[in-house]
Amino acid sequence: MARGRLIVISGFSGAGKGTVVKRLVEKYNYSLSISATTREPREGEVDGRDYYFKTVDEFKSLIDYNGFIEWAQYVENYYGTPRKFVEEELAEGKDVILEIEVQGAMNIKSQYPDAMLIFITTKDIVTLKDRLVGRGSESADVVEKRIRRAAEEAETMPSYEYIIINDDLEACVDAVNSVVVADRCKKENQTEFLIDIKKQLEDYTR
Amino acid sequence: MARGRLIVISGFSGAGKGTVVKRLVEKYNYSLSISATTREPREGEVDGRDYYFKTVDEFKSLIDYNGFIEWAQYVENYYGTPRKFVEEELAEGKDVILEIEVQGAMNIKSQYPDAMLIFITTKDIVTLKDRLVGRGSESADVVEKRIRRAAEEAETMPSYEYIIINDDLEACVDAVNSVVVADRCKKENQTEFLIDIKKQLEDYTR
């Protein structure tokens, strides 16, 4: 069986990538990798569904045991992708979605060269700020911090293979799925089929 | 406005590419280029909808006046793509679908390097033969000829960028559309957007 594909989704904080990923998994057939983090749960977040919430000590112990395929520190918190789930799902031929920040995405790409790197963005920065302010859970100070962070992240956007604008949620979700479908149709990923059909034609016309 | 994209669809005779193209235009927002041909209309085919049916003399005259972006001879008949329609639609930003045979597709790619080349195939050759026989309009001799032709066409499959299997019609149509959507999301095709969003962030954080 063909191995599954790793689909890495990053994007500005406030671009709605969490909602996009949630809807993708609902609408299409993807496996979702749940990250581990040391940050505090936001209201409504559930351990094991949104994140695996860990203490700093627990997280550091997992690092020591090679339990993450990537981990990074971001605004004083740790984030990591548990290795076991990802490896098992890929081996079973399932396409796995990871929602991680830029630094992690670059780590993934160096370990999994076939990973598809997708960056989700708002259509402009005014919309980004409006969404961060509208979220309500962030102080004006944190909003400023996140936009400054976005400016840093924008530098890495050219390292992503696909840039998808989240203006309409369903259109954005369908576009992410299209990227995966199109990738499967690429000639380079159809080598076995091409060899097989050529052989059938040779047998037939011999 | 950004120019539209040329989407070139080829495939084995009997792979159902005509039906795929018809459904694509119904379901999504594509312009369809109608080919000119000197072959006899099949039952139910309408001039100006399925093809522009031309005499050999009319066709040769259009060649002389540079009226085709490509033309080719195939099983004793001429086929060509009228230039005017394609150029006008692309200039208006519309994505144009061409259904042409292999030789024509290669001509297009050399003139329009951005054209997307898609090859539609059945999942195997037994299915191809069944469809050709099932069509009923072809003699056993013509079926044999078409399968021998398929063997030649299979040699050119690696020149196509995307290989799409037409097993389930709707899945195949959605896959073709996915290829176009994904292409628009490619970083290389988002250069203006990337420059623009970076400038907005610089202005904001200055």
Side-chain angles (χ1 to χ4, degrees):
Chain A
M1 190 191 349
R3 254 174 92 83
R5 298 294 299 270
L6 254 185
I7 298 126
V8 174
I9 300 203
S10 302
F12 299 135
S13 177
K17 57 186 185 297
T19 313
V20 169
V21 165
K22 200 178 154 213
R23 185 80 187 110
L24 254 176
V25 172
E26 266 171 28
K27 194 168 180 177
Y28 299 105
N29 191 28
Y30 292 104
S31 276
L32 179 62
S33 160
I34 313 288
S35 297
T37 183
T38 60
R39 83 151 162 74
E40 290 298 307
R42 292 194 192 126
E43 205 180 313
E45 284 185 338
V46 174
D47 185 55
R49 188 193 69 185
D50 300 293
Y51 284 96
Y52 295 106
F53 295 102
K54 302 284 181 193
T55 65
V56 173
D57 281 353
E58 286 168 343
F59 198 100
K60 285 185 172 170
S61 172
L62 277 162
I63 294 172
D64 291 343
Y65 284 96
N66 197 25
F68 296 118
I69 59 171
E70 63 76 37
W71 63 271
Q73 205 176 354
Y74 170 48
V75 195
E76 283 143 55
N77 293 307
Y78 289 92
Y79 293 81
T81 303
R83 180 181 305 278
K84 192 166 178 284
F85 177 83
V86 169
E87 290 290 353
E88 284 174 357
E89 295 291 286
L90 292 180
E92 285 179 29
K94 293 184 190 156
D95 295 324
V96 178
I97 293 186
L98 301 182
E99 182 201 337
I100 50 176
E101 41 66 58
V102 171
Q103 206 178 327
M106 300 302 125
N107 275 336
I108 295 284
K109 188 70 184 177
S110 64
Q111 285 178 76
Y112 298 85
D114 280 350
M116 306 177 64
L117 266 53
I118 298 173
F119 196 96
I120 307 280
T121 169
T122 47
K123 68 173 190 287
D124 53 35
I125 298 307
V126 171
T127 307
L128 184 69
K129 201 192 165 183
D130 287 352
R131 287 203 198 154
L132 285 167
V133 171
R135 191 184 267 179
S137 66
E138 322 283 16
S139 65
D141 187 48
V142 170
V143 168
E144 281 306 300
K145 234 178 175 173
R146 289 196 190 278
I147 290 187
R148 282 179 193 284
R149 174 77 189 173
E152 286 169 42
E153 288 174 334
E155 299 293 326
T156 69
M157 277 168 86
S159 305
Y160 285 78
E161 289 139 344
Y162 296 94
I163 312 290
I164 300 183
I165 297 167
N166 181 19
D167 196 24
D168 172 83
L169 176 65
E170 291 302 315
C172 178
V173 166
D174 291 345
V176 174
N177 185 61
S178 286
V179 160
V180 180
V181 169
D183 193 75
R184 277 194 218 111
C185 296
K186 278 183 189 163
K187 168 190 54 182
E188 301 80 28
N189 298 330
Q190 298 269 33
T191 313
E192 273 180 55
F193 176 79
L194 285 173
I195 291 169
D196 202 42
I197 204 122
K198 225 180 129 179
K199 197 182 170 304
Q200 289 174 39
L201 280 161
E202 279 164 11
D203 290 349
Y204 190 89
T205 56
R206 186 181 294 149
Chain B
M1 188 192 350
R3 256 174 91 82
R5 298 294 299 271
L6 255 186
I7 299 125
V8 174
I9 300 202
S10 302
F12 300 135
S13 177
K17 56 185 186 302
T19 313
V20 168
V21 165
K22 199 177 156 215
R23 185 81 187 109
L24 254 177
V25 172
E26 266 171 27
K27 194 168 181 179
Y28 298 105
N29 190 27
Y30 292 103
S31 276
L32 179 61
S33 161
I34 313 289
S35 297
T37 184
T38 60
R39 84 149 161 75
E40 288 298 308
R42 289 193 196 128
E43 203 180 314
E45 283 186 337
V46 174
D47 184 54
R49 187 193 70 185
D50 300 294
Y51 283 97
Y52 294 108
F53 294 103
K54 302 284 181 193
T55 65
V56 173
D57 280 351
E58 285 168 343
F59 198 100
K60 285 186 172 169
S61 172
L62 278 162
I63 294 172
D64 290 343
Y65 284 96
N66 198 24
F68 296 119
I69 59 172
E70 62 76 38
W71 64 270
Q73 204 177 353
Y74 169 50
V75 196
E76 284 144 55
N77 293 307
Y78 288 93
Y79 292 80
T81 305
R83 182 182 303 279
K84 193 166 178 281
F85 176 84
V86 170
E87 289 290 353
E88 284 175 357
E89 296 291 285
L90 293 180
E92 284 179 29
K94 294 183 188 154
D95 295 324
V96 179
I97 294 187
L98 302 182
E99 183 202 337
I100 50 177
E101 41 65 59
V102 171
Q103 206 178 327
M106 298 304 125
N107 276 335
I108 296 284
K109 189 69 184 176
S110 63
Q111 286 177 76
Y112 299 85
D114 281 351
M116 304 177 65
L117 266 53
I118 298 174
F119 195 96
I120 307 281
T121 169
T122 47
K123 65 174 191 287
D124 52 35
I125 298 307
V126 171
T127 308
L128 184 70
K129 201 193 166 183
D130 287 351
R131 287 203 198 155
L132 284 168
V133 171
R135 190 185 269 178
S137 65
E138 324 283 18
S139 66
D141 188 47
V142 170
V143 168
E144 280 306 301
K145 232 179 177 176
R146 289 196 189 280
I147 291 187
R148 282 178 193 284
R149 173 79 188 172
E152 285 169 44
E153 288 175 335
E155 299 294 327
T156 69
M157 278 169 86
S159 304
Y160 286 78
E161 288 139 344
Y162 296 93
I163 311 289
I164 301 183
I165 297 166
N166 181 20
D167 196 25
D168 173 82
L169 177 65
E170 291 301 315
C172 179
V173 166
D174 290 346
V176 174
N177 185 61
S178 286
V179 160
V180 180
V181 169
D183 193 73
R184 278 195 217 107
C185 297
K186 276 183 189 162
K187 168 188 55 181
E188 302 80 30
N189 296 330
Q190 297 269 32
T191 313
E192 275 181 52
F193 176 80
L194 286 173
I195 292 169
D196 201 43
I197 205 124
K198 227 181 130 179
K199 196 181 170 305
Q200 289 173 39
L201 281 162
E202 278 164 11
D203 290 349
Y204 191 91
T205 55
R206 187 179 291 150

